[in-house]
Amino acid sequence: MRLLLTSDTHLPRRAKVLPAPLLDALAEADVVVHAGDWVDTATLDLLERRSRRLIGVYGNNDGPDLRARLPETAYADLGGLRLAVVHETGPRGAGRPAAPPASPTSTSWSSATATSRGTPSLPAGCGCSTRVPRPTAGANRTAPT
């Protein structure tokens, strides 16, 4: 399973368009994960159209249109790997669940967490691979380094 992880695209404030390597990687990814701060609905629309499967959450810079379409926290089962996605990693606030929902079939699965504030953790042997597109020289960066 090929995962494409991104966040903090902030379009069109920080960049005009997504970098070409990111757009090219969409076709190769089985699952695209966006960990919030889309800023515009056009980016969500684009990723919905071009992704086989999109998992996304809203971030602190996302307005009511995006918050109406995306959850604060997303949970997914990716071939036995439980994935939780959240934009902010600070203290739990109103509405933020204390823990992911329990698996209906197992409590011993490996799990992974993707946040916009750190490196995703994927357990060894999960059968997942990640590819991080590197921007070309002079390209606008859309994710923190």
Side-chain angles (χ1 to χ4, degrees), residues 62-100:
D62 294 327
D65 291 344
L66 286 161
R67 289 172 185 249
R69 293 174 61 186
L70 296 163
E72 179 182 22
T73 307
Y75 302 101
D77 172 4
L78 303 177
L81 172 72
R82 291 185 300 170
L83 178 73
V85 182
V86 63
H87 181 74
E88 293 297 330
T89 58
R92 282 189 244 298
R96 179 165 295 158

PDB file of all heavy atoms in Angstrom, residues 62-100:
ATOM      1  N   ASP A  62      -8.442  26.584   8.706  1.00  0.00           N
ATOM      2  CA  ASP A  62      -9.524  26.260   7.780  1.00  0.00           C
ATOM      3  C   ASP A  62     -10.839  26.852   8.268  1.00  0.00           C
ATOM      4  O   ASP A  62     -11.169  26.763   9.452  1.00  0.00           O
ATOM      5  CB  ASP A  62      -9.644  24.747   7.606  1.00  0.00           C
ATOM      6  CG  ASP A  62      -8.417  24.161   6.923  1.00  0.00           C
ATOM      7  OD1 ASP A  62      -7.832  24.863   6.063  1.00  0.00           O
ATOM      8  OD2 ASP A  62      -8.040  23.027   7.231  1.00  0.00           O
ATOM      9  N   GLY A  63     -11.579  27.466   7.337  1.00  0.00           N
ATOM     10  CA  GLY A  63     -12.823  28.140   7.661  1.00  0.00           C
ATOM     11  C   GLY A  63     -14.023  27.209   7.685  1.00  0.00           C
ATOM     12  O   GLY A  63     -13.902  25.990   7.562  1.00  0.00           O
ATOM     13  N   PRO A  64     -15.207  27.804   7.813  1.00  0.00           N
ATOM     14  CA  PRO A  64     -16.434  27.026   7.963  1.00  0.00           C
ATOM     15  C   PRO A  64     -16.741  26.096   6.790  1.00  0.00           C
ATOM     16  O   PRO A  64     -17.294  25.008   7.002  1.00  0.00           O
ATOM     17  CB  PRO A  64     -17.528  28.085   8.102  1.00  0.00           C
ATOM     18  CG  PRO A  64     -16.870  29.404   8.174  1.00  0.00           C
ATOM     19  CD  PRO A  64     -15.415  29.229   7.907  1.00  0.00           C
ATOM     20  N   ASP A  65     -16.395  26.473   5.563  1.00  0.00           N
ATOM     21  CA  ASP A  65     -16.676  25.605   4.412  1.00  0.00           C
ATOM     22  C   ASP A  65     -15.920  24.280   4.511  1.00  0.00           C
ATOM     23  O   ASP A  65     -16.474  23.219   4.246  1.00  0.00           O
ATOM     24  CB  ASP A  65     -16.322  26.298   3.098  1.00  0.00           C
ATOM     25  CG  ASP A  65     -17.249  27.449   2.760  1.00  0.00           C
ATOM     26  OD1 ASP A  65     -18.342  27.529   3.371  1.00  0.00           O
ATOM     27  OD2 ASP A  65     -16.887  28.267   1.897  1.00  0.00           O
ATOM     28  N   LEU A  66     -14.651  24.350   4.889  1.00  0.00           N
ATOM     29  CA  LEU A  66     -13.861  23.129   5.025  1.00  0.00           C
ATOM     30  C   LEU A  66     -14.262  22.360   6.280  1.00  0.00           C
ATOM     31  O   LEU A  66     -14.332  21.130   6.263  1.00  0.00           O
ATOM     32  CB  LEU A  66     -12.371  23.459   5.048  1.00  0.00           C
ATOM     33  CG  LEU A  66     -11.810  23.855   3.683  1.00  0.00           C
ATOM     34  CD1 LEU A  66     -10.501  24.605   3.812  1.00  0.00           C
ATOM     35  CD2 LEU A  66     -11.645  22.633   2.800  1.00  0.00           C
ATOM     36  N   ARG A  67     -14.550  23.055   7.356  1.00  0.00           N
ATOM     37  CA  ARG A  67     -14.958  22.385   8.600  1.00  0.00           C
ATOM     38  C   ARG A  67     -16.284  21.652   8.425  1.00  0.00           C
ATOM     39  O   ARG A  67     -16.521  20.642   9.085  1.00  0.00           O
ATOM     40  CB  ARG A  67     -15.032  23.388   9.746  1.00  0.00           C
ATOM     41  CG  ARG A  67     -13.645  23.845  10.177  1.00  0.00           C
ATOM     42  CD  ARG A  67     -13.698  24.988  11.189  1.00  0.00           C
ATOM     43  NE  ARG A  67     -12.366  25.455  11.463  1.00  0.00           N
ATOM     44  CZ  ARG A  67     -11.741  25.293  12.621  1.00  0.00           C
ATOM     45  NH1 ARG A  67     -12.345  24.703  13.626  1.00  0.00           N
ATOM     46  NH2 ARG A  67     -10.516  25.746  12.785  1.00  0.00           N
ATOM     47  N   ALA A  68     -17.121  22.131   7.525  1.00  0.00           N
ATOM     48  CA  ALA A  68     -18.390  21.456   7.257  1.00  0.00           C
ATOM     49  C   ALA A  68     -18.175  20.152   6.480  1.00  0.00           C
ATOM     50  O   ALA A  68     -18.995  19.235   6.554  1.00  0.00           O
ATOM     51  CB  ALA A  68     -19.327  22.370   6.472  1.00  0.00           C
ATOM     52  N   ARG A  69     -17.060  20.043   5.766  1.00  0.00           N
ATOM     53  CA  ARG A  69     -16.809  18.880   4.911  1.00  0.00           C
ATOM     54  C   ARG A  69     -15.817  17.882   5.505  1.00  0.00           C
ATOM     55  O   ARG A  69     -15.720  16.750   5.023  1.00  0.00           O
ATOM     56  CB  ARG A  69     -16.283  19.354   3.554  1.00  0.00           C
ATOM     57  CG  ARG A  69     -17.326  20.123   2.760  1.00  0.00           C
ATOM     58  CD  ARG A  69     -16.779  20.721   1.490  1.00  0.00           C
ATOM     59  NE  ARG A  69     -16.261  19.708   0.573  1.00  0.00           N
ATOM     60  CZ  ARG A  69     -15.620  19.995  -0.555  1.00  0.00           C
ATOM     61  NH1 ARG A  69     -15.442  21.265  -0.916  1.00  0.00           N
ATOM     62  NH2 ARG A  69     -15.178  19.039  -1.329  1.00  0.00           N
ATOM     63  N   LEU A  70     -15.059  18.307   6.506  1.00  0.00           N
ATOM     64  CA  LEU A  70     -13.985  17.474   7.047  1.00  0.00           C
ATOM     65  C   LEU A  70     -14.115  17.339   8.564  1.00  0.00           C
ATOM     66  O   LEU A  70     -14.544  18.279   9.233  1.00  0.00           O
ATOM     67  CB  LEU A  70     -12.620  18.105   6.735  1.00  0.00           C
ATOM     68  CG  LEU A  70     -12.241  18.210   5.266  1.00  0.00           C
ATOM     69  CD1 LEU A  70     -11.103  19.198   5.074  1.00  0.00           C
ATOM     70  CD2 LEU A  70     -11.854  16.842   4.727  1.00  0.00           C
ATOM     71  N   PRO A  71     -13.679  16.211   9.113  1.00  0.00           N
ATOM     72  CA  PRO A  71     -13.691  16.064  10.565  1.00  0.00           C
ATOM     73  C   PRO A  71     -12.457  16.707  11.204  1.00  0.00           C
ATOM     74  O   PRO A  71     -11.472  16.987  10.520  1.00  0.00           O
ATOM     75  CB  PRO A  71     -13.652  14.545  10.749  1.00  0.00           C
ATOM     76  CG  PRO A  71     -12.851  14.068   9.577  1.00  0.00           C
ATOM     77  CD  PRO A  71     -13.252  14.984   8.432  1.00  0.00           C
ATOM     78  N   GLU A  72     -12.509  16.899  12.507  1.00  0.00           N
ATOM     79  CA  GLU A  72     -11.325  17.362  13.234  1.00  0.00           C
ATOM     80  C   GLU A  72     -10.307  16.230  13.352  1.00  0.00           C
ATOM     81  O   GLU A  72      -9.100  16.451  13.275  1.00  0.00           O
ATOM     82  CB  GLU A  72     -11.710  17.855  14.628  1.00  0.00           C
ATOM     83  CG  GLU A  72     -10.511  18.333  15.425  1.00  0.00           C
ATOM     84  CD  GLU A  72     -10.851  18.775  16.825  1.00  0.00           C
ATOM     85  OE1 GLU A  72     -11.883  18.368  17.365  1.00  0.00           O
ATOM     86  OE2 GLU A  72     -10.052  19.548  17.391  1.00  0.00           O
ATOM     87  N   THR A  73     -10.801  15.023  13.550  1.00  0.00           N
ATOM     88  CA  THR A  73      -9.964  13.833  13.662  1.00  0.00           C
ATOM     89  C   THR A  73     -10.541  12.763  12.746  1.00  0.00           C
ATOM     90  O   THR A  73     -11.745  12.551  12.731  1.00  0.00           O
ATOM     91  CB  THR A  73      -9.942  13.307  15.117  1.00  0.00           C
ATOM     92  OG1 THR A  73      -9.565  14.368  15.997  1.00  0.00           O
ATOM     93  CG2 THR A  73      -8.970  12.154  15.272  1.00  0.00           C
ATOM     94  N   ALA A  74      -9.672  12.113  11.970  1.00  0.00           N
ATOM     95  CA  ALA A  74     -10.115  11.038  11.077  1.00  0.00           C
ATOM     96  C   ALA A  74      -9.427   9.742  11.479  1.00  0.00           C
ATOM     97  O   ALA A  74      -8.252   9.743  11.863  1.00  0.00           O
ATOM     98  CB  ALA A  74      -9.778  11.374   9.624  1.00  0.00           C
ATOM     99  N   TYR A  75     -10.175   8.652  11.399  1.00  0.00           N
ATOM    100  CA  TYR A  75      -9.652   7.330  11.687  1.00  0.00           C
ATOM    101  C   TYR A  75      -9.903   6.452  10.463  1.00  0.00           C
ATOM    102  O   TYR A  75     -10.955   6.544   9.839  1.00  0.00           O
ATOM    103  CB  TYR A  75     -10.362   6.708  12.899  1.00  0.00           C
ATOM    104  CG  TYR A  75     -10.241   7.547  14.145  1.00  0.00           C
ATOM    105  CD1 TYR A  75     -11.300   8.350  14.547  1.00  0.00           C
ATOM    106  CD2 TYR A  75      -9.076   7.539  14.896  1.00  0.00           C
ATOM    107  CE1 TYR A  75     -11.195   9.129  15.690  1.00  0.00           C
ATOM    108  CE2 TYR A  75      -8.971   8.324  16.035  1.00  0.00           C
ATOM    109  CZ  TYR A  75     -10.033   9.117  16.429  1.00  0.00           C
ATOM    110  OH  TYR A  75      -9.922   9.881  17.546  1.00  0.00           O
ATOM    111  N   ALA A  76      -8.935   5.609  10.150  1.00  0.00           N
ATOM    112  CA  ALA A  76      -9.104   4.716   9.011  1.00  0.00           C
ATOM    113  C   ALA A  76      -8.401   3.399   9.282  1.00  0.00           C
ATOM    114  O   ALA A  76      -7.409   3.345  10.015  1.00  0.00           O
ATOM    115  CB  ALA A  76      -8.515   5.360   7.748  1.00  0.00           C
ATOM    116  N   ASP A  77      -8.910   2.348   8.668  1.00  0.00           N
ATOM    117  CA  ASP A  77      -8.289   1.036   8.684  1.00  0.00           C
ATOM    118  C   ASP A  77      -7.677   0.843   7.302  1.00  0.00           C
ATOM    119  O   ASP A  77      -8.396   0.819   6.306  1.00  0.00           O
ATOM    120  CB  ASP A  77      -9.340  -0.039   8.972  1.00  0.00           C
ATOM    121  CG  ASP A  77      -8.792  -1.455   8.819  1.00  0.00           C
ATOM    122  OD1 ASP A  77      -7.585  -1.633   8.568  1.00  0.00           O
ATOM    123  OD2 ASP A  77      -9.597  -2.392   8.937  1.00  0.00           O
ATOM    124  N   LEU A  78      -6.378   0.742   7.254  1.00  0.00           N
ATOM    125  CA  LEU A  78      -5.670   0.574   5.982  1.00  0.00           C
ATOM    126  C   LEU A  78      -5.056  -0.815   5.948  1.00  0.00           C
ATOM    127  O   LEU A  78      -3.900  -1.010   6.305  1.00  0.00           O
ATOM    128  CB  LEU A  78      -4.594   1.652   5.821  1.00  0.00           C
ATOM    129  CG  LEU A  78      -5.067   3.101   5.907  1.00  0.00           C
ATOM    130  CD1 LEU A  78      -3.885   4.056   5.814  1.00  0.00           C
ATOM    131  CD2 LEU A  78      -6.095   3.393   4.835  1.00  0.00           C
ATOM    132  N   GLY A  79      -5.845  -1.780   5.573  1.00  0.00           N
ATOM    133  CA  GLY A  79      -5.361  -3.152   5.486  1.00  0.00           C
ATOM    134  C   GLY A  79      -4.845  -3.688   6.808  1.00  0.00           C
ATOM    135  O   GLY A  79      -3.829  -4.373   6.838  1.00  0.00           O
ATOM    136  N   GLY A  80      -5.521  -3.382   7.901  1.00  0.00           N
ATOM    137  CA  GLY A  80      -5.105  -3.849   9.222  1.00  0.00           C
ATOM    138  C   GLY A  80      -4.280  -2.838   9.991  1.00  0.00           C
ATOM    139  O   GLY A  80      -3.994  -3.039  11.167  1.00  0.00           O
ATOM    140  N   LEU A  81      -3.869  -1.768   9.365  1.00  0.00           N
ATOM    141  CA  LEU A  81      -3.153  -0.685  10.036  1.00  0.00           C
ATOM    142  C   LEU A  81      -4.169   0.381  10.402  1.00  0.00           C
ATOM    143  O   LEU A  81      -4.865   0.898   9.533  1.00  0.00           O
ATOM    144  CB  LEU A  81      -2.093  -0.089   9.105  1.00  0.00           C
ATOM    145  CG  LEU A  81      -1.393   1.180   9.621  1.00  0.00           C
ATOM    146  CD1 LEU A  81      -0.449   0.825  10.757  1.00  0.00           C
ATOM    147  CD2 LEU A  81      -0.645   1.860   8.495  1.00  0.00           C
ATOM    148  N   ARG A  82      -4.287   0.681  11.693  1.00  0.00           N
ATOM    149  CA  ARG A  82      -5.191   1.744  12.117  1.00  0.00           C
ATOM    150  C   ARG A  82      -4.450   3.064  12.026  1.00  0.00           C
ATOM    151  O   ARG A  82      -3.355   3.213  12.549  1.00  0.00           O
ATOM    152  CB  ARG A  82      -5.670   1.508  13.547  1.00  0.00           C
ATOM    153  CG  ARG A  82      -6.599   0.317  13.647  1.00  0.00           C
ATOM    154  CD  ARG A  82      -7.147   0.163  15.034  1.00  0.00           C
ATOM    155  NE  ARG A  82      -6.059  -0.021  15.978  1.00  0.00           N
ATOM    156  CZ  ARG A  82      -6.199   0.006  17.291  1.00  0.00           C
ATOM    157  NH1 ARG A  82      -7.353   0.218  17.840  1.00  0.00           N
ATOM    158  NH2 ARG A  82      -5.168  -0.180  18.069  1.00  0.00           N
ATOM    159  N   LEU A  83      -5.065   4.024  11.370  1.00  0.00           N
ATOM    160  CA  LEU A  83      -4.463   5.339  11.166  1.00  0.00           C
ATOM    161  C   LEU A  83      -5.358   6.389  11.791  1.00  0.00           C
ATOM    162  O   LEU A  83      -6.575   6.369  11.586  1.00  0.00           O
ATOM    163  CB  LEU A  83      -4.309   5.619   9.664  1.00  0.00           C
ATOM    164  CG  LEU A  83      -3.741   6.985   9.283  1.00  0.00           C
ATOM    165  CD1 LEU A  83      -2.248   7.043   9.595  1.00  0.00           C
ATOM    166  CD2 LEU A  83      -3.989   7.268   7.816  1.00  0.00           C
ATOM    167  N   ALA A  84      -4.765   7.299  12.548  1.00  0.00           N
ATOM    168  CA  ALA A  84      -5.483   8.452  13.091  1.00  0.00           C
ATOM    169  C   ALA A  84      -4.817   9.701  12.544  1.00  0.00           C
ATOM    170  O   ALA A  84      -3.589   9.781  12.490  1.00  0.00           O
ATOM    171  CB  ALA A  84      -5.429   8.451  14.615  1.00  0.00           C
ATOM    172  N   VAL A  85      -5.611  10.659  12.103  1.00  0.00           N
ATOM    173  CA  VAL A  85      -5.085  11.894  11.529  1.00  0.00           C
ATOM    174  C   VAL A  85      -5.708  13.060  12.281  1.00  0.00           C
ATOM    175  O   VAL A  85      -6.930  13.123  12.443  1.00  0.00           O
ATOM    176  CB  VAL A  85      -5.423  12.019  10.020  1.00  0.00           C
ATOM    177  CG1 VAL A  85      -4.810  13.293   9.432  1.00  0.00           C
ATOM    178  CG2 VAL A  85      -4.960  10.794   9.258  1.00  0.00           C
ATOM    179  N   VAL A  86      -4.869  13.987  12.726  1.00  0.00           N
ATOM    180  CA  VAL A  86      -5.335  15.195  13.410  1.00  0.00           C
ATOM    181  C   VAL A  86      -4.361  16.313  13.065  1.00  0.00           C
ATOM    182  O   VAL A  86      -3.170  16.069  12.874  1.00  0.00           O
ATOM    183  CB  VAL A  86      -5.443  14.980  14.939  1.00  0.00           C
ATOM    184  CG1 VAL A  86      -4.098  14.679  15.573  1.00  0.00           C
ATOM    185  CG2 VAL A  86      -6.112  16.152  15.615  1.00  0.00           C
ATOM    186  N   HIS A  87      -4.863  17.535  12.970  1.00  0.00           N
ATOM    187  CA  HIS A  87      -3.978  18.651  12.653  1.00  0.00           C
ATOM    188  C   HIS A  87      -3.222  19.134  13.883  1.00  0.00           C
ATOM    189  O   HIS A  87      -2.011  19.237  13.885  1.00  0.00           O
ATOM    190  CB  HIS A  87      -4.759  19.816  12.036  1.00  0.00           C
ATOM    191  CG  HIS A  87      -3.886  20.980  11.681  1.00  0.00           C
ATOM    192  ND1 HIS A  87      -3.050  20.943  10.592  1.00  0.00           N
ATOM    193  CD2 HIS A  87      -3.704  22.176  12.273  1.00  0.00           C
ATOM    194  CE1 HIS A  87      -2.381  22.093  10.531  1.00  0.00           C
ATOM    195  NE2 HIS A  87      -2.758  22.854  11.534  1.00  0.00           N
ATOM    196  N   GLU A  88      -3.936  19.452  14.924  1.00  0.00           N
ATOM    197  CA  GLU A  88      -3.321  19.975  16.141  1.00  0.00           C
ATOM    198  C   GLU A  88      -3.017  18.840  17.099  1.00  0.00           C
ATOM    199  O   GLU A  88      -3.791  17.911  17.229  1.00  0.00           O
ATOM    200  CB  GLU A  88      -4.246  20.985  16.810  1.00  0.00           C
ATOM    201  CG  GLU A  88      -4.444  22.241  16.004  1.00  0.00           C
ATOM    202  CD  GLU A  88      -3.170  23.047  15.784  1.00  0.00           C
ATOM    203  OE1 GLU A  88      -2.257  23.028  16.637  1.00  0.00           O
ATOM    204  OE2 GLU A  88      -3.081  23.700  14.744  1.00  0.00           O
ATOM    205  N   THR A  89      -1.911  18.954  17.809  1.00  0.00           N
ATOM    206  CA  THR A  89      -1.534  17.907  18.746  1.00  0.00           C
ATOM    207  C   THR A  89      -1.489  18.419  20.174  1.00  0.00           C
ATOM    208  O   THR A  89      -0.942  17.771  21.045  1.00  0.00           O
ATOM    209  CB  THR A  89      -0.161  17.318  18.372  1.00  0.00           C
ATOM    210  OG1 THR A  89       0.799  18.376  18.363  1.00  0.00           O
ATOM    211  CG2 THR A  89      -0.213  16.639  17.026  1.00  0.00           C
ATOM    212  N   GLY A  90      -2.062  19.581  20.425  1.00  0.00           N
ATOM    213  CA  GLY A  90      -2.069  20.158  21.768  1.00  0.00           C
ATOM    214  C   GLY A  90      -3.053  19.453  22.674  1.00  0.00           C
ATOM    215  O   GLY A  90      -3.550  18.374  22.364  1.00  0.00           O
ATOM    216  N   PRO A  91      -3.368  20.081  23.802  1.00  0.00           N
ATOM    217  CA  PRO A  91      -4.294  19.468  24.757  1.00  0.00           C
ATOM    218  C   PRO A  91      -5.654  19.205  24.120  1.00  0.00           C
ATOM    219  O   PRO A  91      -6.092  19.939  23.239  1.00  0.00           O
ATOM    220  CB  PRO A  91      -4.428  20.516  25.865  1.00  0.00           C
ATOM    221  CG  PRO A  91      -3.380  21.527  25.617  1.00  0.00           C
ATOM    222  CD  PRO A  91      -2.915  21.381  24.196  1.00  0.00           C
ATOM    223  N   ARG A  92      -6.302  18.146  24.582  1.00  0.00           N
ATOM    224  CA  ARG A  92      -7.632  17.825  24.081  1.00  0.00           C
ATOM    225  C   ARG A  92      -8.587  18.950  24.415  1.00  0.00           C
ATOM    226  O   ARG A  92      -8.662  19.407  25.537  1.00  0.00           O
ATOM    227  CB  ARG A  92      -8.139  16.540  24.705  1.00  0.00           C
ATOM    228  CG  ARG A  92      -7.546  15.325  24.079  1.00  0.00           C
ATOM    229  CD  ARG A  92      -8.256  14.101  24.590  1.00  0.00           C
ATOM    230  NE  ARG A  92      -7.433  13.204  25.363  1.00  0.00           N
ATOM    231  CZ  ARG A  92      -6.376  12.579  24.914  1.00  0.00           C
ATOM    232  NH1 ARG A  92      -5.948  12.797  23.714  1.00  0.00           N
ATOM    233  NH2 ARG A  92      -5.725  11.747  25.664  1.00  0.00           N
ATOM    234  N   GLY A  93      -9.319  19.374  23.404  1.00  0.00           N
ATOM    235  CA  GLY A  93     -10.324  20.412  23.603  1.00  0.00           C
ATOM    236  C   GLY A  93     -11.709  19.814  23.478  1.00  0.00           C
ATOM    237  O   GLY A  93     -11.875  18.607  23.336  1.00  0.00           O
ATOM    238  N   ALA A  94     -12.674  20.684  23.531  1.00  0.00           N
ATOM    239  CA  ALA A  94     -14.053  20.229  23.386  1.00  0.00           C
ATOM    240  C   ALA A  94     -14.212  19.531  22.052  1.00  0.00           C
ATOM    241  O   ALA A  94     -13.789  20.040  21.019  1.00  0.00           O
ATOM    242  CB  ALA A  94     -14.995  21.420  23.481  1.00  0.00           C
ATOM    243  N   GLY A  95     -14.788  18.357  22.076  1.00  0.00           N
ATOM    244  CA  GLY A  95     -15.047  17.630  20.842  1.00  0.00           C
ATOM    245  C   GLY A  95     -13.915  16.738  20.381  1.00  0.00           C
ATOM    246  O   GLY A  95     -14.093  15.919  19.499  1.00  0.00           O
ATOM    247  N   ARG A  96     -12.718  16.857  20.944  1.00  0.00           N
ATOM    248  CA  ARG A  96     -11.616  15.990  20.533  1.00  0.00           C
ATOM    249  C   ARG A  96     -11.688  14.702  21.337  1.00  0.00           C
ATOM    250  O   ARG A  96     -11.653  14.732  22.559  1.00  0.00           O
ATOM    251  CB  ARG A  96     -10.270  16.663  20.772  1.00  0.00           C
ATOM    252  CG  ARG A  96      -9.132  15.723  20.345  1.00  0.00           C
ATOM    253  CD  ARG A  96      -7.812  16.383  20.212  1.00  0.00           C
ATOM    254  NE  ARG A  96      -7.879  17.337  19.130  1.00  0.00           N
ATOM    255  CZ  ARG A  96      -7.050  18.367  19.031  1.00  0.00           C
ATOM    256  NH1 ARG A  96      -6.134  18.575  19.914  1.00  0.00           N
ATOM    257  NH2 ARG A  96      -7.171  19.202  18.035  1.00  0.00           N
ATOM    258  N   PRO A  97     -11.808  13.569  20.663  1.00  0.00           N
ATOM    259  CA  PRO A  97     -11.928  12.313  21.389  1.00  0.00           C
ATOM    260  C   PRO A  97     -10.667  11.989  22.181  1.00  0.00           C
ATOM    261  O   PRO A  97      -9.571  12.378  21.802  1.00  0.00           O
ATOM    262  CB  PRO A  97     -12.175  11.275  20.302  1.00  0.00           C
ATOM    263  CG  PRO A  97     -11.953  11.947  19.004  1.00  0.00           C
ATOM    264  CD  PRO A  97     -11.845  13.417  19.232  1.00  0.00           C
ATOM    265  N   ALA A  98     -10.840  11.274  23.263  1.00  0.00           N
ATOM    266  CA  ALA A  98      -9.715  10.886  24.111  1.00  0.00           C
ATOM    267  C   ALA A  98      -8.852   9.831  23.444  1.00  0.00           C
ATOM    268  O   ALA A  98      -7.664   9.762  23.681  1.00  0.00           O
ATOM    269  CB  ALA A  98     -10.229  10.374  25.448  1.00  0.00           C
ATOM    270  N   ALA A  99      -9.435   8.985  22.598  1.00  0.00           N
ATOM    271  CA  ALA A  99      -8.686   7.911  21.939  1.00  0.00           C
ATOM    272  C   ALA A  99      -9.449   7.466  20.702  1.00  0.00           C
ATOM    273  O   ALA A  99     -10.651   7.690  20.608  1.00  0.00           O
ATOM    274  CB  ALA A  99      -8.520   6.737  22.899  1.00  0.00           C
ATOM    275  N   PRO A 100      -8.750   6.851  19.743  1.00  0.00           N
ATOM    276  CA  PRO A 100      -9.455   6.345  18.572  1.00  0.00           C
ATOM    277  C   PRO A 100     -10.474   5.296  18.983  1.00  0.00           C
ATOM    278  O   PRO A 100     -10.303   4.641  20.001  1.00  0.00           O
ATOM    279  CB  PRO A 100      -8.359   5.724  17.710  1.00  0.00           C
ATOM    280  CG  PRO A 100      -7.079   5.969  18.382  1.00  0.00           C
ATOM    281  CD  PRO A 100      -7.336   6.599  19.706  1.00  0.00           C
TER     282      PRO A 100
END
